[in-house]
Amino acid sequence: MSATLASEVEEASPLPDNLPANKLIHGPLLPQLIRLALPTAAVLFMTTLLNVAETYFVSALGLNAIAAASLVVPALLLMTTVASAGIGGGVSSAIARAVGARRQDEAESLAWHALVIGAAGGGLFSLLALVAGPALYRSLGGSGASLDLAVLYSNILFGGAISSWILLLL
């Protein structure tokens, strides 16, 4: 049965004889894994470096600033995870399937739809941060100057949520 299926696939889309061998299948595994992992490792390294630098600079502003930043971080992580891992994973998968099937028009359409989804998701997070941010940060233990700074930081940070979402989705 599998031989029949393979012959049907070959008849539907014959491959040229002059294509090079697929290195992922026919090459050594470790160099390919390293080559595929390096961009992700570089992004994670730069993100960690940025977070350390941000913490260093915020620490120079005092304890209330550190407390304010730590109140906002959970909301920021939620937004980043939803945009990049949750919805972004689906967007990447859909575009990759369209490109793999050589449906360029569909891939471009999906990219434009991702732009709209990014604008809507970013707008929603901006609105939620403005409306529910103070109550959320108060429920996390914020009060006084640290709560005021958290709300200010949140308003600035989530004011740019649309551009963050679009970047994370695309």
Side-chain angles (χ1 to χ4, degrees), residues 72 126 129-130 137 149-161 163-164:
V72 177
S126 292
L130 285 172
Y137 307 136
L149 287 173
V151 170
L152 176 64
Y153 179 49
S154 174
N155 289 345
I156 293 169
L157 189 66
F158 288 105
S163 59
S164 295

PDB file of all heavy atoms in Angstrom, residues 72 126 129-130 137 149-161 163-164:
ATOM      1  N   VAL A  72       5.031  45.016  36.523  1.00  0.00           N
ATOM      2  CA  VAL A  72       4.589  45.040  35.132  1.00  0.00           C
ATOM      3  C   VAL A  72       5.077  43.807  34.355  1.00  0.00           C
ATOM      4  O   VAL A  72       4.450  43.389  33.383  1.00  0.00           O
ATOM      5  CB  VAL A  72       5.047  46.348  34.453  1.00  0.00           C
ATOM      6  CG1 VAL A  72       4.672  46.373  32.983  1.00  0.00           C
ATOM      7  CG2 VAL A  72       4.442  47.549  35.165  1.00  0.00           C
ATOM      8  N   SER A 126      -3.228  46.940  24.836  1.00  0.00           N
ATOM      9  CA  SER A 126      -3.095  48.347  25.233  1.00  0.00           C
ATOM     10  C   SER A 126      -4.316  48.791  26.033  1.00  0.00           C
ATOM     11  O   SER A 126      -4.190  49.420  27.081  1.00  0.00           O
ATOM     12  CB  SER A 126      -2.933  49.245  24.006  1.00  0.00           C
ATOM     13  OG  SER A 126      -1.723  49.023  23.368  1.00  0.00           O
ATOM     14  N   ALA A 129      -4.383  47.134  29.465  1.00  0.00           N
ATOM     15  CA  ALA A 129      -3.395  47.720  30.374  1.00  0.00           C
ATOM     16  C   ALA A 129      -3.870  49.068  30.896  1.00  0.00           C
ATOM     17  O   ALA A 129      -3.659  49.391  32.076  1.00  0.00           O
ATOM     18  CB  ALA A 129      -2.048  47.864  29.669  1.00  0.00           C
ATOM     19  N   LEU A 130      -4.503  49.848  30.043  1.00  0.00           N
ATOM     20  CA  LEU A 130      -4.998  51.156  30.486  1.00  0.00           C
ATOM     21  C   LEU A 130      -6.160  51.012  31.472  1.00  0.00           C
ATOM     22  O   LEU A 130      -6.220  51.706  32.482  1.00  0.00           O
ATOM     23  CB  LEU A 130      -5.450  51.990  29.287  1.00  0.00           C
ATOM     24  CG  LEU A 130      -4.345  52.590  28.439  1.00  0.00           C
ATOM     25  CD1 LEU A 130      -4.931  53.222  27.182  1.00  0.00           C
ATOM     26  CD2 LEU A 130      -3.576  53.631  29.235  1.00  0.00           C
ATOM     27  N   TYR A 137      -2.021  45.637  39.131  1.00  0.00           N
ATOM     28  CA  TYR A 137      -0.789  45.909  39.867  1.00  0.00           C
ATOM     29  C   TYR A 137      -1.049  46.077  41.368  1.00  0.00           C
ATOM     30  O   TYR A 137      -0.224  45.696  42.191  1.00  0.00           O
ATOM     31  CB  TYR A 137      -0.076  47.131  39.286  1.00  0.00           C
ATOM     32  CG  TYR A 137       0.145  47.015  37.795  1.00  0.00           C
ATOM     33  CD1 TYR A 137      -0.096  48.085  36.943  1.00  0.00           C
ATOM     34  CD2 TYR A 137       0.561  45.817  37.222  1.00  0.00           C
ATOM     35  CE1 TYR A 137       0.086  47.961  35.583  1.00  0.00           C
ATOM     36  CE2 TYR A 137       0.744  45.684  35.863  1.00  0.00           C
ATOM     37  CZ  TYR A 137       0.495  46.760  35.039  1.00  0.00           C
ATOM     38  OH  TYR A 137       0.666  46.632  33.686  1.00  0.00           O
ATOM     39  N   LEU A 149       4.418  54.392  39.694  1.00  0.00           N
ATOM     40  CA  LEU A 149       5.456  54.158  38.678  1.00  0.00           C
ATOM     41  C   LEU A 149       5.111  52.958  37.796  1.00  0.00           C
ATOM     42  O   LEU A 149       5.398  52.968  36.596  1.00  0.00           O
ATOM     43  CB  LEU A 149       6.817  53.960  39.345  1.00  0.00           C
ATOM     44  CG  LEU A 149       7.461  55.213  39.925  1.00  0.00           C
ATOM     45  CD1 LEU A 149       8.714  54.852  40.707  1.00  0.00           C
ATOM     46  CD2 LEU A 149       7.775  56.213  38.834  1.00  0.00           C
ATOM     47  N   ALA A 150       4.501  51.930  38.384  1.00  0.00           N
ATOM     48  CA  ALA A 150       4.098  50.752  37.599  1.00  0.00           C
ATOM     49  C   ALA A 150       3.062  51.140  36.553  1.00  0.00           C
ATOM     50  O   ALA A 150       3.139  50.698  35.401  1.00  0.00           O
ATOM     51  CB  ALA A 150       3.564  49.659  38.511  1.00  0.00           C
ATOM     52  N   VAL A 151       2.093  51.959  36.938  1.00  0.00           N
ATOM     53  CA  VAL A 151       1.063  52.397  35.997  1.00  0.00           C
ATOM     54  C   VAL A 151       1.688  53.250  34.891  1.00  0.00           C
ATOM     55  O   VAL A 151       1.376  53.080  33.710  1.00  0.00           O
ATOM     56  CB  VAL A 151      -0.071  53.150  36.728  1.00  0.00           C
ATOM     57  CG1 VAL A 151      -1.020  53.818  35.750  1.00  0.00           C
ATOM     58  CG2 VAL A 151      -0.826  52.203  37.652  1.00  0.00           C
ATOM     59  N   LEU A 152       2.600  54.151  35.260  1.00  0.00           N
ATOM     60  CA  LEU A 152       3.278  54.973  34.260  1.00  0.00           C
ATOM     61  C   LEU A 152       4.086  54.109  33.297  1.00  0.00           C
ATOM     62  O   LEU A 152       3.995  54.266  32.067  1.00  0.00           O
ATOM     63  CB  LEU A 152       4.184  55.998  34.954  1.00  0.00           C
ATOM     64  CG  LEU A 152       5.040  56.873  34.046  1.00  0.00           C
ATOM     65  CD1 LEU A 152       4.149  57.757  33.180  1.00  0.00           C
ATOM     66  CD2 LEU A 152       6.001  57.702  34.871  1.00  0.00           C
ATOM     67  N   TYR A 153       4.871  53.187  33.836  1.00  0.00           N
ATOM     68  CA  TYR A 153       5.683  52.286  33.013  1.00  0.00           C
ATOM     69  C   TYR A 153       4.791  51.427  32.117  1.00  0.00           C
ATOM     70  O   TYR A 153       5.064  51.249  30.926  1.00  0.00           O
ATOM     71  CB  TYR A 153       6.550  51.417  33.929  1.00  0.00           C
ATOM     72  CG  TYR A 153       7.422  50.408  33.233  1.00  0.00           C
ATOM     73  CD1 TYR A 153       8.227  50.746  32.155  1.00  0.00           C
ATOM     74  CD2 TYR A 153       7.448  49.087  33.663  1.00  0.00           C
ATOM     75  CE1 TYR A 153       9.036  49.811  31.527  1.00  0.00           C
ATOM     76  CE2 TYR A 153       8.259  48.143  33.050  1.00  0.00           C
ATOM     77  CZ  TYR A 153       9.039  48.515  31.974  1.00  0.00           C
ATOM     78  OH  TYR A 153       9.836  47.583  31.364  1.00  0.00           O
ATOM     79  N   SER A 154       3.714  50.917  32.668  1.00  0.00           N
ATOM     80  CA  SER A 154       2.782  50.088  31.913  1.00  0.00           C
ATOM     81  C   SER A 154       2.146  50.867  30.769  1.00  0.00           C
ATOM     82  O   SER A 154       2.028  50.358  29.648  1.00  0.00           O
ATOM     83  CB  SER A 154       1.704  49.553  32.851  1.00  0.00           C
ATOM     84  OG  SER A 154       0.713  48.860  32.142  1.00  0.00           O
ATOM     85  N   ASN A 155       1.747  52.096  31.042  1.00  0.00           N
ATOM     86  CA  ASN A 155       1.122  52.909  29.994  1.00  0.00           C
ATOM     87  C   ASN A 155       2.090  53.173  28.848  1.00  0.00           C
ATOM     88  O   ASN A 155       1.707  53.132  27.677  1.00  0.00           O
ATOM     89  CB  ASN A 155       0.610  54.226  30.566  1.00  0.00           C
ATOM     90  CG  ASN A 155      -0.593  54.033  31.458  1.00  0.00           C
ATOM     91  OD1 ASN A 155      -1.230  52.982  31.445  1.00  0.00           O
ATOM     92  ND2 ASN A 155      -0.905  55.036  32.250  1.00  0.00           N
ATOM     93  N   ILE A 156       3.348  53.424  29.184  1.00  0.00           N
ATOM     94  CA  ILE A 156       4.353  53.653  28.138  1.00  0.00           C
ATOM     95  C   ILE A 156       4.627  52.352  27.387  1.00  0.00           C
ATOM     96  O   ILE A 156       4.643  52.315  26.159  1.00  0.00           O
ATOM     97  CB  ILE A 156       5.649  54.214  28.749  1.00  0.00           C
ATOM     98  CG1 ILE A 156       5.400  55.623  29.298  1.00  0.00           C
ATOM     99  CG2 ILE A 156       6.772  54.235  27.721  1.00  0.00           C
ATOM    100  CD1 ILE A 156       6.523  56.163  30.155  1.00  0.00           C
ATOM    101  N   LEU A 157       4.837  51.280  28.135  1.00  0.00           N
ATOM    102  CA  LEU A 157       5.181  49.992  27.540  1.00  0.00           C
ATOM    103  C   LEU A 157       4.060  49.460  26.656  1.00  0.00           C
ATOM    104  O   LEU A 157       4.287  49.064  25.512  1.00  0.00           O
ATOM    105  CB  LEU A 157       5.499  48.993  28.654  1.00  0.00           C
ATOM    106  CG  LEU A 157       6.070  47.656  28.252  1.00  0.00           C
ATOM    107  CD1 LEU A 157       7.456  47.843  27.651  1.00  0.00           C
ATOM    108  CD2 LEU A 157       6.160  46.753  29.464  1.00  0.00           C
ATOM    109  N   PHE A 158       2.853  49.442  27.172  1.00  0.00           N
ATOM    110  CA  PHE A 158       1.735  48.885  26.414  1.00  0.00           C
ATOM    111  C   PHE A 158       1.171  49.880  25.410  1.00  0.00           C
ATOM    112  O   PHE A 158       0.345  49.514  24.573  1.00  0.00           O
ATOM    113  CB  PHE A 158       0.652  48.365  27.352  1.00  0.00           C
ATOM    114  CG  PHE A 158       1.058  47.104  28.048  1.00  0.00           C
ATOM    115  CD1 PHE A 158       1.425  47.123  29.387  1.00  0.00           C
ATOM    116  CD2 PHE A 158       1.104  45.906  27.369  1.00  0.00           C
ATOM    117  CE1 PHE A 158       1.820  45.964  30.028  1.00  0.00           C
ATOM    118  CE2 PHE A 158       1.500  44.744  27.998  1.00  0.00           C
ATOM    119  CZ  PHE A 158       1.862  44.771  29.332  1.00  0.00           C
ATOM    120  N   GLY A 159       1.615  51.138  25.484  1.00  0.00           N
ATOM    121  CA  GLY A 159       1.264  52.092  24.433  1.00  0.00           C
ATOM    122  C   GLY A 159       1.849  51.675  23.092  1.00  0.00           C
ATOM    123  O   GLY A 159       1.316  51.995  22.040  1.00  0.00           O
ATOM    124  N   GLY A 160       2.946  50.924  23.130  1.00  0.00           N
ATOM    125  CA  GLY A 160       3.568  50.407  21.915  1.00  0.00           C
ATOM    126  C   GLY A 160       3.266  48.948  21.658  1.00  0.00           C
ATOM    127  O   GLY A 160       4.011  48.276  20.935  1.00  0.00           O
ATOM    128  N   ALA A 161       2.202  48.445  22.245  1.00  0.00           N
ATOM    129  CA  ALA A 161       1.884  47.018  22.130  1.00  0.00           C
ATOM    130  C   ALA A 161       1.545  46.599  20.701  1.00  0.00           C
ATOM    131  O   ALA A 161       1.843  45.469  20.308  1.00  0.00           O
ATOM    132  CB  ALA A 161       0.739  46.643  23.071  1.00  0.00           C
ATOM    133  N   SER A 163       2.895  47.660  17.874  1.00  0.00           N
ATOM    134  CA  SER A 163       4.143  47.388  17.142  1.00  0.00           C
ATOM    135  C   SER A 163       4.834  46.138  17.677  1.00  0.00           C
ATOM    136  O   SER A 163       5.424  45.372  16.909  1.00  0.00           O
ATOM    137  CB  SER A 163       5.080  48.599  17.200  1.00  0.00           C
ATOM    138  OG  SER A 163       5.400  48.917  18.530  1.00  0.00           O
ATOM    139  N   SER A 164       4.754  45.898  18.985  1.00  0.00           N
ATOM    140  CA  SER A 164       5.340  44.680  19.549  1.00  0.00           C
ATOM    141  C   SER A 164       4.651  43.441  19.008  1.00  0.00           C
ATOM    142  O   SER A 164       5.303  42.464  18.636  1.00  0.00           O
ATOM    143  CB  SER A 164       5.240  44.686  21.074  1.00  0.00           C
ATOM    144  OG  SER A 164       6.010  45.710  21.617  1.00  0.00           O
TER     145      SER A 164
END
